Amino acid sequence: MKKAPLVIIPLLLFSLLVVFLFKGLFSDPRELDSQANGKPVPAFSLPDLMQPDITYTAESLKGRVTLLNVWGVWCVTCAVEMPYLTALKEQQNVNIVGLYFDQDLDPDFGTKTLSRVQQEVTDMLARYGNPYAFNIFDVYRDTSLDLGVTGAPEHFLIDANGIIRMHHIGDINERVWTNKVGPMYKKLVEESQAEKVAAI
Amino acid sequence: MKWFIFCIATIFTFNAHAAEDNFAFETPAQRAQFLSLTAELRCPMCQNQNIADSDAMIAHDMRRKVYTLLKQGKSEQEVIDYMKARYGDFVHYQPPVTPATMWLWAAPVLFVIIAFIFIIRRRPNSQPEDMAAKLAKADKMLEQERE
């Protein structure tokens, strides 16, 4: 019976492999460890989508907990989540700011005019509801790149001091809000209220 | 020979595809840098393509960014660090050596070493003994049958 331990080795290796592969079944390859977490919003200077003479900077997002929503009219999932976001704004008074970027608007060859983009946005918001306090127009998609955005929709929870506290890739629906984004949002709101009280 | 020509042709069409964006470079060296960088940076959206091959918008934007950074005189490493700061280690096809990724290099080496030890330890001298014992046993059985 000296050989018994040797027989166990393949079995052990096999069970390890099974555990490894089984875990792999439930891992999400899209889930990247975001580099934005815990960092301040990168510096930017971008126009308002509807009124291009207004300019926003990273400072514009300070003072209140903000849910920054990266979106575009060409993005189907954004249209799907829009009614839910609108409900969040109306029922829980969540401050949602849009970071809008256009797919067809190639910075090197301006084929699409701003007024056309605005028209598309107005149409879409009229159809699905408007959750946004305002929309920042990321003309050259530079700020999206700085934020580590891979596509749309993506969301950033930004605390009152302008620090990114959560990066959520994908849409926000009731399940995601209840389990992931909502608790963090409430925590940040409490934090900012505590800070305000301390300041007084 | 035909196969060889076909393979060469495939390689060249691949290169032409990678350069379809029409970026103008001042020096051939810069162009080579751009091509090698876009080949080793990974698209975060379509995850098994590099940004040279991918047609996702983010890959377009990243190619444009690589181009701008190179134009500004940044080195290859600086461009890679720039992308890593935004998209994480994931974005580069060459993973850094960390406690977690160390196994990528260590596991094959360990496997070979363990296999070697296993082979050496399995001395063949036990075999004759076994055979002798088996023969004796077989003889015994034969004799039993005869009785």
Side-chain angles (χ1 to χ4, degrees):
Chain A
M1 286 325 275
K2 224 179 117 190
K3 280 193 175 164
L6 282 183
V7 176
I8 287 175
I9 290 176
L11 187 71
L12 211 72
L13 286 177
F14 180 71
S15 5
L16 269 175
L17 189 74
V18 166
V19 170
F20 181 72
L21 293 178
F22 190 75
K23 260 184 80 186
L25 279 182
F26 302 100
S27 79
D28 180 8
R30 294 228 158 271
E31 207 173 289
L32 312 176
D33 46 335
S34 174
Q35 303 298 304
N37 271 344
K39 286 186 194 154
V41 178
F44 65 87
S45 175
L46 291 170
D48 186 277
L49 179 61
M50 291 306 173
Q51 294 151 286
D53 43 321
I54 304 177
T55 305
Y56 298 114
T57 61
E59 291 293 314
S60 319
L61 299 176
K62 282 186 186 170
R64 200 181 157 185
V65 180
T66 305
L67 180 67
L68 188 72
N69 174 212
V70 183
W71 74 291
V73 288
W74 41 269
C75 151
V76 181
T77 319
C78 303
V80 172
E81 69 170 352
M82 205 154 274
Y84 187 72
L85 291 180
T86 311
L88 279 182
K89 180 203 176 187
E90 281 164 3
Q91 288 158 18
Q92 302 189 31
N93 196 25
V94 179
N95 183 33
I96 302 176
V97 172
L99 182 71
Y100 187 86
F101 67 91
D102 206 285
Q103 205 169 26
D104 301 326
L105 201 72
D106 194 315
D108 298 328
F109 315 92
T111 48
K112 208 170 174 185
T113 58
L114 179 63
S115 57
R116 222 187 109 202
V117 175
Q118 286 173 342
Q119 189 53 51
E120 284 176 354
V121 169
T122 316
D123 288 350
M124 183 152 161
L125 294 183
R127 259 175 90 182
Y128 299 107
N130 183 359
Y132 304 109
F134 55 85
N135 267 289
I136 303 167
F137 188 22
D138 190 8
V139 191
Y140 291 96
R141 304 194 286 264
D142 274 336
T143 305
S144 307
L145 197 85
D146 284 342
L147 282 165
V149 169
T150 61
E154 290 193 15
H155 305 83
F156 294 89
L157 264 180
I158 301 165
D159 69 14
N161 299 318
I163 310 289
I164 297 166
R165 300 291 288 273
M166 182 184 272
H167 181 182
H168 173 69
I169 295 179
D171 65 326
I172 288 188
N173 47 41
E174 205 172 339
R175 183 176 52 84
V176 172
W177 181 260
T178 324
N179 295 327
K180 186 179 169 188
V181 185
M184 189 64 172
Y185 174 78
K186 273 163 207 136
K187 191 185 146 205
L188 293 185
V189 168
E190 277 161 22
E191 263 179 35
S192 83
Q193 277 162 355
E195 274 171 31
K196 266 179 202 156
V197 170
I200 296 165
Chain B
M1 190 60 197
K2 258 187 190 168
W3 264 106
F4 181 70
I5 292 171
F6 175 74
C7 291
I8 295 290
T10 333
I11 290 166
F12 278 106
T13 47
F14 173 79
N15 272 348
H17 173 77
E20 81 181 335
D21 271 330
N22 272 329
F23 292 118
F25 293 95
E26 279 151 20
T27 61
Q30 225 172 31
R31 193 186 144 76
Q33 263 186 337
F34 177 79
L35 288 180
S36 81
L37 272 174
T38 51
E40 66 187 273
L41 287 172
R42 184 176 181 183
C43 171
M45 189 67 193
C46 20
Q47 300 199 334
N48 289 322
Q49 283 186 305
N50 57 27
I51 60 170
D53 280 347
S54 173
D55 203 34
M57 189 177 55
I58 177 73
H60 274 280
D61 289 350
M62 283 169 76
R63 282 199 294 264
R64 208 178 59 237
K65 197 48 131 185
V66 169
Y67 175 71
T68 335
L69 290 174
L70 283 178
K71 275 260 165 179
Q72 286 168 8
K74 296 267 198 299
S75 73
E76 275 188 52
Q77 194 51 51
E78 278 172 320
V79 175
I80 291 169
D81 291 343
Y82 180 95
M83 289 301 175
K84 274 190 181 176
R86 282 153 184 79
Y87 290 99
D89 291 333
F90 171 87
V91 83
H92 195 213
Y93 268 120
Q94 178 75 44
V97 186
T98 65
T101 61
M102 204 189 70
W103 295 103
L104 292 175
W105 289 272
V109 176
L110 276 180
F111 186 81
V112 168
I113 291 172
I114 289 172
F116 244 111
I117 293 171
F118 189 75
I119 289 169
I120 290 168
R121 279 191 128 200
R122 237 181 61 176
R123 278 157 302 182
N125 62 357
S126 66
Q127 221 168 341
E129 254 173 62
D130 265 359
M131 286 302 274
K134 270 183 189 167
L135 273 173
K137 208 176 173 189
D139 277 343
K140 227 180 185 179
M141 278 167 90
L142 274 173
E143 262 169 44
Q144 268 176 357
E145 221 151 86
R146 256 184 226 154
E147 273 166 14

PDB file of all heavy atoms in Angstrom, chain B residues 57-78:
ATOM      1  N   MET B  57     -14.935  51.771 -31.066  1.00  0.00           N
ATOM      2  CA  MET B  57     -14.665  53.201 -31.000  1.00  0.00           C
ATOM      3  C   MET B  57     -13.513  53.503 -30.043  1.00  0.00           C
ATOM      4  O   MET B  57     -12.665  54.343 -30.329  1.00  0.00           O
ATOM      5  CB  MET B  57     -15.912  53.938 -30.547  1.00  0.00           C
ATOM      6  CG  MET B  57     -15.760  55.427 -30.658  1.00  0.00           C
ATOM      7  SD  MET B  57     -17.254  56.259 -30.216  1.00  0.00           S
ATOM      8  CE  MET B  57     -17.524  55.605 -28.615  1.00  0.00           C
ATOM      9  N   ILE B  58     -13.503  52.774 -28.936  1.00  0.00           N
ATOM     10  CA  ILE B  58     -12.459  53.019 -27.943  1.00  0.00           C
ATOM     11  C   ILE B  58     -11.081  52.718 -28.537  1.00  0.00           C
ATOM     12  O   ILE B  58     -10.104  53.414 -28.262  1.00  0.00           O
ATOM     13  CB  ILE B  58     -12.736  52.196 -26.653  1.00  0.00           C
ATOM     14  CG1 ILE B  58     -11.630  52.372 -25.626  1.00  0.00           C
ATOM     15  CG2 ILE B  58     -12.915  50.734 -26.937  1.00  0.00           C
ATOM     16  CD1 ILE B  58     -11.650  53.702 -24.973  1.00  0.00           C
ATOM     17  N   ALA B  59     -11.015  51.709 -29.428  1.00  0.00           N
ATOM     18  CA  ALA B  59      -9.730  51.379 -30.056  1.00  0.00           C
ATOM     19  C   ALA B  59      -9.295  52.498 -31.007  1.00  0.00           C
ATOM     20  O   ALA B  59      -8.126  52.874 -31.061  1.00  0.00           O
ATOM     21  CB  ALA B  59      -9.833  50.054 -30.798  1.00  0.00           C
ATOM     22  N   HIS B  60     -10.277  53.051 -31.727  1.00  0.00           N
ATOM     23  CA  HIS B  60      -9.989  54.217 -32.574  1.00  0.00           C
ATOM     24  C   HIS B  60      -9.388  55.342 -31.746  1.00  0.00           C
ATOM     25  O   HIS B  60      -8.371  55.928 -32.100  1.00  0.00           O
ATOM     26  CB  HIS B  60     -11.289  54.737 -33.210  1.00  0.00           C
ATOM     27  CG  HIS B  60     -11.658  54.062 -34.478  1.00  0.00           C
ATOM     28  ND1 HIS B  60     -11.090  54.379 -35.683  1.00  0.00           N
ATOM     29  CD2 HIS B  60     -12.529  53.054 -34.724  1.00  0.00           C
ATOM     30  CE1 HIS B  60     -11.607  53.609 -36.626  1.00  0.00           C
ATOM     31  NE2 HIS B  60     -12.480  52.798 -36.069  1.00  0.00           N
ATOM     32  N   ASP B  61     -10.087  55.609 -30.630  1.00  0.00           N
ATOM     33  CA  ASP B  61      -9.657  56.723 -29.787  1.00  0.00           C
ATOM     34  C   ASP B  61      -8.276  56.465 -29.197  1.00  0.00           C
ATOM     35  O   ASP B  61      -7.470  57.388 -29.068  1.00  0.00           O
ATOM     36  CB  ASP B  61     -10.670  56.950 -28.656  1.00  0.00           C
ATOM     37  CG  ASP B  61     -11.962  57.535 -29.193  1.00  0.00           C
ATOM     38  OD1 ASP B  61     -11.970  57.916 -30.377  1.00  0.00           O
ATOM     39  OD2 ASP B  61     -12.944  57.609 -28.445  1.00  0.00           O
ATOM     40  N   MET B  62      -8.032  55.200 -28.849  1.00  0.00           N
ATOM     41  CA  MET B  62      -6.734  54.886 -28.254  1.00  0.00           C
ATOM     42  C   MET B  62      -5.621  54.986 -29.289  1.00  0.00           C
ATOM     43  O   MET B  62      -4.523  55.450 -28.991  1.00  0.00           O
ATOM     44  CB  MET B  62      -6.765  53.494 -27.619  1.00  0.00           C
ATOM     45  CG  MET B  62      -7.498  53.496 -26.281  1.00  0.00           C
ATOM     46  SD  MET B  62      -7.828  51.851 -25.672  1.00  0.00           S
ATOM     47  CE  MET B  62      -6.225  51.371 -25.080  1.00  0.00           C
ATOM     48  N   ARG B  63      -5.926  54.558 -30.506  1.00  0.00           N
ATOM     49  CA  ARG B  63      -4.921  54.710 -31.575  1.00  0.00           C
ATOM     50  C   ARG B  63      -4.603  56.177 -31.783  1.00  0.00           C
ATOM     51  O   ARG B  63      -3.446  56.570 -31.915  1.00  0.00           O
ATOM     52  CB  ARG B  63      -5.449  54.121 -32.896  1.00  0.00           C
ATOM     53  CG  ARG B  63      -5.377  52.629 -32.985  1.00  0.00           C
ATOM     54  CD  ARG B  63      -5.471  52.193 -34.434  1.00  0.00           C
ATOM     55  NE  ARG B  63      -6.774  52.501 -35.007  1.00  0.00           N
ATOM     56  CZ  ARG B  63      -7.774  51.629 -35.084  1.00  0.00           C
ATOM     57  NH1 ARG B  63      -7.617  50.431 -34.625  1.00  0.00           N
ATOM     58  NH2 ARG B  63      -8.923  51.979 -35.624  1.00  0.00           N
ATOM     59  N   ARG B  64      -5.670  57.008 -31.782  1.00  0.00           N
ATOM     60  CA  ARG B  64      -5.452  58.443 -31.982  1.00  0.00           C
ATOM     61  C   ARG B  64      -4.610  59.000 -30.839  1.00  0.00           C
ATOM     62  O   ARG B  64      -3.729  59.827 -31.051  1.00  0.00           O
ATOM     63  CB  ARG B  64      -6.799  59.162 -32.061  1.00  0.00           C
ATOM     64  CG  ARG B  64      -6.737  60.415 -32.897  1.00  0.00           C
ATOM     65  CD  ARG B  64      -8.089  61.087 -32.996  1.00  0.00           C
ATOM     66  NE  ARG B  64      -8.619  61.452 -31.703  1.00  0.00           N
ATOM     67  CZ  ARG B  64      -9.788  61.050 -31.236  1.00  0.00           C
ATOM     68  NH1 ARG B  64     -10.556  60.269 -31.961  1.00  0.00           N
ATOM     69  NH2 ARG B  64     -10.200  61.426 -30.043  1.00  0.00           N
ATOM     70  N   LYS B  65      -4.896  58.501 -29.610  1.00  0.00           N
ATOM     71  CA  LYS B  65      -4.155  58.985 -28.448  1.00  0.00           C
ATOM     72  C   LYS B  65      -2.695  58.566 -28.535  1.00  0.00           C
ATOM     73  O   LYS B  65      -1.796  59.375 -28.268  1.00  0.00           O
ATOM     74  CB  LYS B  65      -4.805  58.428 -27.178  1.00  0.00           C
ATOM     75  CG  LYS B  65      -4.419  59.129 -25.901  1.00  0.00           C
ATOM     76  CD  LYS B  65      -4.514  60.620 -26.043  1.00  0.00           C
ATOM     77  CE  LYS B  65      -5.270  61.269 -24.932  1.00  0.00           C
ATOM     78  NZ  LYS B  65      -5.465  62.693 -25.123  1.00  0.00           N
ATOM     79  N   VAL B  66      -2.456  57.325 -28.928  1.00  0.00           N
ATOM     80  CA  VAL B  66      -1.072  56.845 -29.077  1.00  0.00           C
ATOM     81  C   VAL B  66      -0.343  57.719 -30.088  1.00  0.00           C
ATOM     82  O   VAL B  66       0.795  58.148 -29.860  1.00  0.00           O
ATOM     83  CB  VAL B  66      -1.060  55.357 -29.532  1.00  0.00           C
ATOM     84  CG1 VAL B  66       0.349  54.934 -29.956  1.00  0.00           C
ATOM     85  CG2 VAL B  66      -1.551  54.454 -28.420  1.00  0.00           C
ATOM     86  N   TYR B  67      -1.024  58.005 -31.177  1.00  0.00           N
ATOM     87  CA  TYR B  67      -0.439  58.845 -32.221  1.00  0.00           C
ATOM     88  C   TYR B  67      -0.090  60.229 -31.669  1.00  0.00           C
ATOM     89  O   TYR B  67       1.035  60.714 -31.847  1.00  0.00           O
ATOM     90  CB  TYR B  67      -1.421  58.960 -33.387  1.00  0.00           C
ATOM     91  CG  TYR B  67      -0.983  59.905 -34.473  1.00  0.00           C
ATOM     92  CD1 TYR B  67       0.073  59.572 -35.319  1.00  0.00           C
ATOM     93  CD2 TYR B  67      -1.620  61.131 -34.662  1.00  0.00           C
ATOM     94  CE1 TYR B  67       0.483  60.431 -36.316  1.00  0.00           C
ATOM     95  CE2 TYR B  67      -1.207  61.994 -35.653  1.00  0.00           C
ATOM     96  CZ  TYR B  67      -0.166  61.641 -36.484  1.00  0.00           C
ATOM     97  OH  TYR B  67       0.240  62.497 -37.461  1.00  0.00           O
ATOM     98  N   THR B  68      -1.049  60.850 -30.973  1.00  0.00           N
ATOM     99  CA  THR B  68      -0.796  62.193 -30.427  1.00  0.00           C
ATOM    100  C   THR B  68       0.362  62.181 -29.447  1.00  0.00           C
ATOM    101  O   THR B  68       1.205  63.079 -29.464  1.00  0.00           O
ATOM    102  CB  THR B  68      -2.045  62.721 -29.690  1.00  0.00           C
ATOM    103  OG1 THR B  68      -3.194  62.087 -30.216  1.00  0.00           O
ATOM    104  CG2 THR B  68      -2.179  64.206 -29.835  1.00  0.00           C
ATOM    105  N   LEU B  69       0.374  61.147 -28.590  1.00  0.00           N
ATOM    106  CA  LEU B  69       1.435  61.093 -27.582  1.00  0.00           C
ATOM    107  C   LEU B  69       2.802  60.915 -28.235  1.00  0.00           C
ATOM    108  O   LEU B  69       3.779  61.542 -27.825  1.00  0.00           O
ATOM    109  CB  LEU B  69       1.175  59.944 -26.591  1.00  0.00           C
ATOM    110  CG  LEU B  69      -0.015  60.146 -25.650  1.00  0.00           C
ATOM    111  CD1 LEU B  69      -0.260  58.897 -24.827  1.00  0.00           C
ATOM    112  CD2 LEU B  69       0.204  61.329 -24.732  1.00  0.00           C
ATOM    113  N   LEU B  70       2.857  60.065 -29.257  1.00  0.00           N
ATOM    114  CA  LEU B  70       4.136  59.866 -29.947  1.00  0.00           C
ATOM    115  C   LEU B  70       4.582  61.161 -30.627  1.00  0.00           C
ATOM    116  O   LEU B  70       5.758  61.505 -30.626  1.00  0.00           O
ATOM    117  CB  LEU B  70       4.022  58.750 -30.983  1.00  0.00           C
ATOM    118  CG  LEU B  70       4.028  57.319 -30.448  1.00  0.00           C
ATOM    119  CD1 LEU B  70       3.848  56.331 -31.584  1.00  0.00           C
ATOM    120  CD2 LEU B  70       5.301  57.018 -29.685  1.00  0.00           C
ATOM    121  N   LYS B  71       3.606  61.858 -31.190  1.00  0.00           N
ATOM    122  CA  LYS B  71       3.901  63.141 -31.845  1.00  0.00           C
ATOM    123  C   LYS B  71       4.482  64.133 -30.857  1.00  0.00           C
ATOM    124  O   LYS B  71       5.306  64.983 -31.201  1.00  0.00           O
ATOM    125  CB  LYS B  71       2.620  63.720 -32.461  1.00  0.00           C
ATOM    126  CG  LYS B  71       2.340  63.180 -33.838  1.00  0.00           C
ATOM    127  CD  LYS B  71       2.780  64.182 -34.880  1.00  0.00           C
ATOM    128  CE  LYS B  71       2.858  63.521 -36.252  1.00  0.00           C
ATOM    129  NZ  LYS B  71       3.256  64.452 -37.286  1.00  0.00           N
ATOM    130  N   GLN B  72       3.982  64.032 -29.600  1.00  0.00           N
ATOM    131  CA  GLN B  72       4.496  64.940 -28.571  1.00  0.00           C
ATOM    132  C   GLN B  72       5.890  64.536 -28.111  1.00  0.00           C
ATOM    133  O   GLN B  72       6.468  65.170 -27.240  1.00  0.00           O
ATOM    134  CB  GLN B  72       3.557  64.937 -27.361  1.00  0.00           C
ATOM    135  CG  GLN B  72       2.260  65.679 -27.600  1.00  0.00           C
ATOM    136  CD  GLN B  72       1.252  65.421 -26.501  1.00  0.00           C
ATOM    137  OE1 GLN B  72       1.566  64.800 -25.493  1.00  0.00           O
ATOM    138  NE2 GLN B  72       0.037  65.892 -26.696  1.00  0.00           N
ATOM    139  N   GLY B  73       6.397  63.443 -28.661  1.00  0.00           N
ATOM    140  CA  GLY B  73       7.756  63.025 -28.326  1.00  0.00           C
ATOM    141  C   GLY B  73       7.843  62.101 -27.132  1.00  0.00           C
ATOM    142  O   GLY B  73       8.904  61.929 -26.550  1.00  0.00           O
ATOM    143  N   LYS B  74       6.686  61.505 -26.754  1.00  0.00           N
ATOM    144  CA  LYS B  74       6.713  60.561 -25.637  1.00  0.00           C
ATOM    145  C   LYS B  74       7.363  59.247 -26.067  1.00  0.00           C
ATOM    146  O   LYS B  74       7.258  58.840 -27.225  1.00  0.00           O
ATOM    147  CB  LYS B  74       5.280  60.279 -25.168  1.00  0.00           C
ATOM    148  CG  LYS B  74       4.572  61.502 -24.607  1.00  0.00           C
ATOM    149  CD  LYS B  74       4.736  61.591 -23.112  1.00  0.00           C
ATOM    150  CE  LYS B  74       3.721  62.509 -22.471  1.00  0.00           C
ATOM    151  NZ  LYS B  74       3.779  63.904 -22.932  1.00  0.00           N
ATOM    152  N   SER B  75       8.020  58.587 -25.127  1.00  0.00           N
ATOM    153  CA  SER B  75       8.644  57.302 -25.436  1.00  0.00           C
ATOM    154  C   SER B  75       7.591  56.204 -25.381  1.00  0.00           C
ATOM    155  O   SER B  75       6.483  56.414 -24.883  1.00  0.00           O
ATOM    156  CB  SER B  75       9.749  57.010 -24.442  1.00  0.00           C
ATOM    157  OG  SER B  75       9.171  56.673 -23.196  1.00  0.00           O
ATOM    158  N   GLU B  76       7.950  55.032 -25.875  1.00  0.00           N
ATOM    159  CA  GLU B  76       6.998  53.919 -25.874  1.00  0.00           C
ATOM    160  C   GLU B  76       6.532  53.595 -24.469  1.00  0.00           C
ATOM    161  O   GLU B  76       5.361  53.367 -24.218  1.00  0.00           O
ATOM    162  CB  GLU B  76       7.644  52.679 -26.503  1.00  0.00           C
ATOM    163  CG  GLU B  76       7.524  52.654 -28.013  1.00  0.00           C
ATOM    164  CD  GLU B  76       7.997  51.345 -28.612  1.00  0.00           C
ATOM    165  OE1 GLU B  76       7.530  50.285 -28.175  1.00  0.00           O
ATOM    166  OE2 GLU B  76       8.834  51.384 -29.523  1.00  0.00           O
ATOM    167  N   GLN B  77       7.506  53.562 -23.537  1.00  0.00           N
ATOM    168  CA  GLN B  77       7.153  53.228 -22.165  1.00  0.00           C
ATOM    169  C   GLN B  77       6.199  54.254 -21.579  1.00  0.00           C
ATOM    170  O   GLN B  77       5.267  53.912 -20.849  1.00  0.00           O
ATOM    171  CB  GLN B  77       8.428  53.124 -21.310  1.00  0.00           C
ATOM    172  CG  GLN B  77       8.217  52.460 -19.963  1.00  0.00           C
ATOM    173  CD  GLN B  77       7.507  51.115 -20.075  1.00  0.00           C
ATOM    174  OE1 GLN B  77       7.895  50.247 -20.844  1.00  0.00           O
ATOM    175  NE2 GLN B  77       6.430  50.952 -19.323  1.00  0.00           N
ATOM    176  N   GLU B  78       6.394  55.510 -21.923  1.00  0.00           N
ATOM    177  CA  GLU B  78       5.507  56.561 -21.403  1.00  0.00           C
ATOM    178  C   GLU B  78       4.084  56.380 -21.927  1.00  0.00           C
ATOM    179  O   GLU B  78       3.114  56.598 -21.193  1.00  0.00           O
ATOM    180  CB  GLU B  78       6.051  57.942 -21.792  1.00  0.00           C
ATOM    181  CG  GLU B  78       7.153  58.441 -20.869  1.00  0.00           C
ATOM    182  CD  GLU B  78       7.824  59.705 -21.373  1.00  0.00           C
ATOM    183  OE1 GLU B  78       8.060  59.813 -22.598  1.00  0.00           O
ATOM    184  OE2 GLU B  78       8.105  60.572 -20.548  1.00  0.00           O
TER     185      GLU B  78
END
